[in-house]
Each structure stands twice: as structure tokens, then as C-alpha cells.
Amino acid sequence: SGDPAKCKKLAYWKPEDPKFWAEWGKRIAWKNLLISVPNLLLMFATWIMWSILVTTVQTANDASNGAAYPFADLGLDPDDSTGYKSSLFMLPSIAGLAGATLRVPNSFMVASTGGQVTNAMNSTLAILPMVGIALALASTDCPFWLLCILAPCCGFGGGAFASSMSGISFFFPKRDQGMALGLNAGIGNLGVSVTQLVLPVVCSSGIFGAESVGGKYVMNAGWFYAILLAMAAAPAWFLMNYMPNHGSPTGSLLANVVAYLRLEGLGFVGVICGTGLFVLSTPLVAGSPVLIILRIFVLAIIACLVTLASMWFLSSSEIKAKLRVQAEIFSDKHTWLMTWLYIMTFGSFIGYSSAFPKLIKDVFGYLPDGSENPNAPSVAAYAWMGACVGSLARPVGGWLSDKWTGATVTHWGTVIEVVATVAVGIFVRLAQASSTPEQYFYPF
């Protein structure tokens, strides 16, 4: 039938046909995978970048004795270092909540818009908060409320994982889907380590010509990723393809973009709701670890329910039909078991990766009296390691699961994770009470 990729919308697609796969399919599938991987990597990198931004802002504030990024709109006492640190923790939390919420509309995105537009639009729109970050953090008088708007806008990266994995799966025959999805997810997840390894360097030199704030160039992070996102989005716009049964029936690029904006806009209804409640509830849960943890679960559920309700009442009949079909999973007990399992596995990976840099800074960077620890470990030197180990463990976990079954690997992985989490909590408490907290860093 000839080349199926003469247009962005494939004319036909038969990956299970050996002749088709050898003649056309393999080349087209790998081309799309190779374009998808850097886009997903940058989505994760920009989603998690707040873990480095807040520690760099905090370092600049410490170095300038509170003159850099004082965030006067928070109304804190200049000597209230604890309140300042706690407030900064809000930003990666909000970004995480937004990314999780946007996974809901992204689950339906590929069928409605096509994988090409989904990848291209995610990376293109993610440029906007990057430019906002660059402009906002160029001023030492940047208001905190502006960062509370920019942080959830970085949620594009979290939502993109759902649509990226779905879009790539259709290109490959079943025998190769595991490998393709493993590469897409594994290398994509390395975006977390990339941001935690590269941004400290980027924010330490005036490579974009801006003046430093508190000895740091935090604004560089925005310009750095804006450039990389533009470079990744370009091949997605011009070279990627999508399935014959996806997107506009006529292959209209404009129709696909409009469909994307509609679905993503509905997702941001939930994001706005969740972010607003997070900020407003912060004074209510302050000082109570139980309420702080409970709030995350409650707000995640509220944000997702608001998003689903928005999609139900404001989306097309096609999306409503798919929601009706998918609603059947809620009556299956395995749905809830797998959800709980996913919170424990991927949830702990992305959550701990996001909190890790600031946790190092807050626990080991200060002494019990609040003064800076002169022997503190370098955040930049260690922050990236946890996420890197988790990302590289993906293919190893798959190999072990093939050998000993997924249930066995998950069981023992859970045991190790629980023991390690308890141990981390113990060492954090010991370090916080010690005049030499650095002695507990390596076991931590």
C-alpha cells in the first residue's frame, strides 16, 4: 500500500504484520520513539525542577542574610527561618499536585488529538512557565504568589507521562512494546536526575547575561529549559506521526490543537482548585505532620474528581463515552489495590526525588540553633543520585520480574522500601538533634 507516513496522520498501521514491519513499520516507529524520549525527559525535568529551584533560592537568601528573595508578601518575621523554609516546600508540592492532576486528561489525550500534537503541545506550552520563571526570579523582589502560579504550570511534565506512554505503545508490535515503553519511561524518568545534576551548575554562572541574586543565577534555569524545550518540540511538530484512528478524522492540525487545549484546559480546572485549596489550607495544617500528610491525599482526590467532573460536563460526547466505559474499573477491587501500590512505588519515587534536595539542605545544612552548618554536604553533589538509581532500576526490575514474577519482586521491593523509609526517618531525627548532623548523612 506504499509509505503510510506520507502525512502526519498515518494512512494505515499494521505493526503485527512482519512484512509491513520490516518494510515501513520499524523505521517509522523508532523515529517516533527517538523524538518522544527527549520530550518526555524534559517534561520530567521541568516538572521536578522546583526541587532545585527552592534550594537555590534558599541558599541565595542565606548568603545575603535575607536580602535575596525575602518574599515580603508572606508576612514572615525576617528572623523566622523555619517559616521561610516551610513556605518554600509548598512550591514543589504544588507542582507535584498539578502534574498528578493533569494525568487524568492526558489519559484521554492521544485518542482525541493524536500522539504528535500531544507531544508537541506539551513541550511547547511548557516553555511559557520557563520564561515566567526566568523573568520572575531575575528580581530579588519577586513575590511568592507569582511562584505559586508558575509552579503548577510546570505540571505539564507530570501529565505528559500518561499521554507519552500511551502514544508510543501503538507504534510497536506487542513483542516489542515492553522494550519501547521501557526506553521511553526509563530515559524519560532520567529527566529528574538531569535536572538535579545540571541545574545547580546552570544556576551558578552568568551564562545568560543576567545579574546574580544572592550570588546565584536562579533565573538561568528558566532560560535553559525554554531553549531545550523549543529544540525538542520542533521535531515533534514536523516529524512525528499519529495513528489512523486518532485525532481529527480529516487529519486537521488545527482541530487536533483545539482538542488538546480543550482537554488540557479542563485538567487545569482541577489544578486551580487543588492549588488554591493547598495554599489556603497551609495555615490550618501548620505544625501537624498528620494533617500535612492527610491534606495531600484529600487534595489529590478533590483535584482529580473536579477534573473528571469538568471532563464529564464540558467535554465532547466522545470523551464522555470513554469516561463511561472506564468508570467500570472503579467496581474492580484490583483497581484500588493497584492504585495503592502505585502510590507506594512511583509515588514514593517522584515524591522523594522532589523532596530529596531540600531535605538534604534543611536537615544537614543547619545546626539545631538555626545557624548554617559549615560541614554540610553539598546538595548538588548528591541530590540527583536517588532519582538516577530509581530510573536505572526500571529495566533491572523488569528483568527480575520476568525471572521471578512481578508479584515476588514487588513484595520484596516493598519490604526493602518500608525498612529503608523507617531508617531514613530515624537518621533524620538524629541529625536534626545533633550539633554535627553531617555524621548521619551517609547512612541517611
Side-chain angles (χ1 to χ4, degrees):
S1 301
D3 185 358
K6 290 179 179 178
C7 299
K8 298 293 185 296
K9 187 181 181 75
L10 296 169
Y12 63 99
W13 195 248
K14 303 175 182 177
E16 303 296 341
D17 182 339
K19 182 179 178 182
F20 169 83
W21 182 250
E23 186 175 0
W24 300 107
K26 186 175 183 179
R27 174 178 58 83
I28 295 170
W30 274 95
K31 176 192 72 173
N32 281 273
L33 176 60
L34 290 176
I35 296 173
S36 173
V37 165
N39 276 278
L40 184 58
L41 184 148
L42 288 173
M43 289 291 95
F44 269 102
T46 53
W47 183 30
I48 300 299
M49 68 186 294
W50 287 95
S51 66
I52 294 298
L53 290 183
V54 294
T55 56
T56 310
V57 164
Q58 188 171 320
T59 299
N61 183 266
D62 290 340
S64 62
N65 293 318
Y69 306 117
F71 301 128
D73 54 316
L74 285 174
L76 297 173
D77 187 294
D79 296 325
D80 185 6
S81 60
T82 300
Y84 187 87
K85 297 173 192 175
S86 300
S87 298
L88 287 180
F89 244 133
M90 289 172 57
L91 300 173
S93 300
I94 293 171
L97 177 62
T101 303
L102 289 178
R103 286 198 175 190
V104 177
N106 271 270
S107 299
F108 300 88
M109 196 73 78
V110 171
S112 300
T113 72
Q116 179 240 351
V117 161
T118 302
N119 271 280
M121 284 295 289
N122 278 334
S123 293
T124 300
L125 290 184
I127 294 174
L128 299 178
M130 297 304 106
V131 174
I133 287 169
L135 296 176
L137 292 175
S139 170
T140 189
D141 296 320
C142 167
F144 192 77
W145 63 261
L146 181 56
L147 299 186
C148 287
I149 293 175
L150 291 170
C153 290
C154 293
F156 287 113
F161 183 73
S163 55
S164 178
M165 296 296 283
S166 173
I168 285 300
S169 67
F170 294 106
F171 282 97
F172 288 83
K174 285 184 170 53
R175 65 180 181 276
D176 293 334
Q177 283 182 357
M179 174 272 301
L181 294 177
L183 286 173
N184 197 48
I187 300 177
N189 283 353
L190 280 174
V192 179
S193 294
V194 167
T195 210
Q196 294 177 338
L197 182 62
V198 174
L199 280 197
V201 178
V202 171
C203 294
S204 297
S205 59
I207 55 177
F208 294 107
E211 293 185 8
S212 68
V213 178
K216 293 293 183 179
Y217 300 85
V218 194
M219 71 295 294
N220 285 357
W223 295 126
F224 176 72
Y225 277 131
I227 293 170
L228 292 183
L229 284 166
M231 293 172 62
W237 280 115
F238 295 109
L239 298 175
M240 286 194 80
N241 304 102
Y242 61 100
M243 294 294 113
N245 58 328
H246 291 169
S248 165
T250 62
S252 168
L253 176 62
L254 178 60
N256 289 338
V257 169
V258 170
Y260 171 93
L261 291 173
R262 185 177 186 179
L263 266 177
E264 198 76 353
L266 294 175
F268 267 96
V269 173
V271 169
I272 293 170
C273 178
T275 300
L277 290 174
F278 189 100
V279 173
L280 293 173
S281 63
T282 296
L284 302 177
V285 302
S288 172
V290 174
L291 290 179
I292 290 173
I293 294 172
L294 184 62
R295 174 180 64 167
I296 290 296
F297 286 96
V298 171
L299 292 186
I301 293 171
I302 291 174
C304 288
L305 288 176
V306 169
T307 300
L308 287 169
S310 300
M311 291 172 63
W312 178 256
F313 291 107
L314 301 175
S315 62
S316 64
S317 57
E318 176 190 3
I319 297 296
K320 288 181 180 179
K322 290 178 180 178
L323 281 171
R324 191 176 295 111
V325 171
Q326 290 208 1
E328 295 177 5
I329 67 173
F330 296 121
S331 60
D332 187 340
K333 69 175 183 179
H334 294 95
T335 297
W336 302 103
L337 292 173
M338 291 303 293
T339 298
W340 190 250
L341 183 64
Y342 195 69
I343 291 172
M344 181 197 70
T345 52
F346 185 80
S348 63
F349 163 76
I350 206 69
Y352 196 52
S353 297
S354 179
F356 194 42
K358 196 163 190 313
L359 194 61
I360 295 175
K361 178 74 174 175
D362 288 352
V363 173
F364 301 97
Y366 301 93
L367 300 176
D369 62 1
S371 61
E372 291 188 65
N373 179 12
N375 301 312
S378 169
V379 174
Y382 297 100
W384 60 276
M385 291 183 177
C388 184
V389 170
S391 299
L392 295 178
R394 275 180 175 266
V396 176
W399 176 77
L400 291 174
S401 296
D402 289 338
K403 190 175 180 65
W404 287 307
T405 76
T408 301
V409 173
T410 301
H411 169 78
W412 287 108
T414 301
V415 171
I416 294 171
E417 187 174 352
V418 169
V419 172
T421 301
V422 172
V424 163
I426 292 172
F427 286 117
V428 165
R429 293 295 295 272
L430 291 173
Q432 287 179 321
S434 173
S435 59
T436 55
E438 66 277 4
Q439 68 178 308
Y440 298 104
F441 179 69
Y442 288 109
F444 161 83

